[in-house]
Amino acid sequence: MTYEDGGPLVPIERPRRLRTTAAMRRMVAETRLHPADLILPAFLREGIKEPQPVSSMPGVFQHTRDSLRKAAAEAAATGVGGIMLFGVPRHKDATGSGGTDPEGILQVAIRDVKAETGDALVVMSDLCLDEFTDHGHCGVLDAAGRVDNDATLERYAEMARVQAAAGVDVVGPSGMMDGQVRVVRDALDGAGHQDVSILAYTAKYASAFFGPFREAVDSSLKGDRKTYQQDPANARESLRELALDLAEGADMVMVKPALPYLDILRQVADAVDVPVAAYQVSGEYAMVEAAAANGWVDRDRMIMEMLVGARRAGAGMVLTYWATEVAERLRSD
């Protein structure tokens, strides 16, 4: 709005007044990042003596037991809210039996991190078969080679019980099987683990952004996951998945990936009164690191802008491979 006093038009309202200094911008910021908002995904690989770098994700490693404990302790010390654990087994088979072995690598990871950090870090675990199957799919296959939804649910129930027995705080069923949240909730409650929470992978899209992750978990995938992960073209479908997950007992819900699906994240956040997470996936991480390595972008600013964008779109929590680094930066600011 302007007025005229015989001279040039002069603004009455000047939004730039609230942008004049760093202190002013900080004071009036509508969205803030806190270390407790961040969750660190981490990989424990069976049978290695030294951490193995993931070539497509500079700075990310397949951990040994010792290096995982160290990474978890560092995350807790910086105030990171949680850690999401993935297991990389030495041996795989058609049913992913390592995922339900009480002494399997993921259960080892859970016990190690809980022993190292206690209640200082919320310990979460990926509840899915893809890391453990020789075909790389998130479930067991039928005679025709298709993922058998209901047979897979039986395996998820077993996984839930062994992960809870190992001491996990939160399970994250990520396979996008119909009915998975209900089956996991029933399995947990039936085994006396009523206090273990479920972070539902509510809107998980069949995304090209997952590519580097498959190196991180030594994926054996043949084909694709388009028959169970969501079509990137669809938005309303996410709200249907959301309603089902909540009805089945989800304590928290997630959108994955984050950056290409901020519109979905906003719709989900507006629709629920439970905590909402976004997963800043491997491809999002890799493209920033690659561009920064070439001198094309300001790495630190881009990381913070992407995280703030996810929070602004409605995520209360963000899974990010930069969690510890960003938490340390936030503490020093």
Side-chain angles (χ1 to χ4, degrees), residues 65 119 293 301 319:
R65 291 179 67 179
D119 291 334
R301 285 186 61 195
L319 286 82

Side-chain angles (χ1 to χ4, degrees), residues 240-261:
R240 184 184 184 192
E241 293 278 4
L242 175 64
L244 290 168
D245 284 350
L246 293 175
E248 292 175 13
D251 300 288
M252 299 172 274
V253 296
M254 185 196 294
V255 174
K256 180 181 181 180
L259 184 63
Y261 299 96

Side-chain angles (χ1 to χ4, degrees), residues 173-189:
S174 61
M176 292 299 288
M177 296 297 121
D178 294 339
Q180 62 184 14
V181 172
R182 173 64 182 276
V183 165
V184 168
R185 184 73 269 160
D186 286 349
L188 291 170
D189 292 352

Side-chain angles (χ1 to χ4, degrees), residues 89-288:
R90 181 186 287 132
H91 302 293
K92 304 179 183 183
D93 58 34
T95 61
S97 61
T100 52
D101 181 353
E103 300 305 317
I105 191 64
L106 184 49
Q107 284 65 256
V108 169
I110 294 167
R111 288 195 293 268
D112 282 353
V113 173
K114 284 300 290 185
E116 183 70 34
T117 64
D119 291 334
L121 203 61
V122 177
V123 177
M124 306 177 170
S125 55
D126 181 55
L127 200 162
C128 193
L129 291 172
D130 60 322
E131 295 105 290
F132 302 97
T133 55
D134 54 13
H135 47 74
H137 278 288
C138 296
V140 295
L141 305 183
D142 63 17
R146 299 167 299 196
V147 175
D148 186 326
N149 190 95
D150 296 358
T152 298
L153 293 181
E154 295 180 18
R155 303 287 293 124
Y156 286 1
E158 294 180 57
M159 290 189 80
R161 287 189 286 266
V162 297
Q163 291 179 7
V168 79
D169 300 308
V170 179
V171 294
S174 61
M176 292 299 288
M177 296 297 121
D178 294 339
Q180 62 184 14
V181 172
R182 173 64 182 276
V183 165
V184 168
R185 184 73 269 160
D186 286 349
L188 291 170
D189 292 352
H193 299 294
Q194 293 89 345
D195 290 340
V196 174
S197 299
I198 297 176
L199 170 58
Y201 282 59
T202 292
K204 182 179 180 181
Y205 283 86
S207 174
F209 282 82
F210 297 155
F213 176 89
R214 291 177 184 164
E215 178 191 352
V217 296
D218 288 352
S219 175
S220 304
L221 180 66
K222 301 174 180 67
D224 58 52
R225 299 182 173 127
K226 293 180 181 179
T227 64
Y228 45 102
Q229 294 177 352
Q230 284 184 230
D231 186 338
N234 293 351
R236 288 193 303 272
E237 183 180 29
S238 293
L239 298 181
R240 184 184 184 192
E241 293 278 4
L242 175 64
L244 290 168
D245 284 350
L246 293 175
E248 292 175 13
D251 300 288
M252 299 172 274
V253 296
M254 185 196 294
V255 174
K256 180 181 181 180
L259 184 63
Y261 299 96
L262 294 178
D263 60 321
I264 307 302
L265 181 57
R266 180 74 269 163
Q267 290 181 59
V268 168
D270 286 345
V272 302
D273 55 6
V274 299
V276 177
Y279 198 142
Q280 190 180 63
V281 300
S282 59
E284 297 173 67
Y285 177 94
M287 68 183 186
V288 172

Side-chain angles (χ1 to χ4, degrees), residues 67-79 83 113 116-117 120-121 324:
S67 69
L68 177 63
R69 285 191 288 258
K70 181 180 178 182
E74 290 174 349
T78 60
I83 187 168
V113 173
E116 183 70 34
T117 64
L121 203 61
T324 302

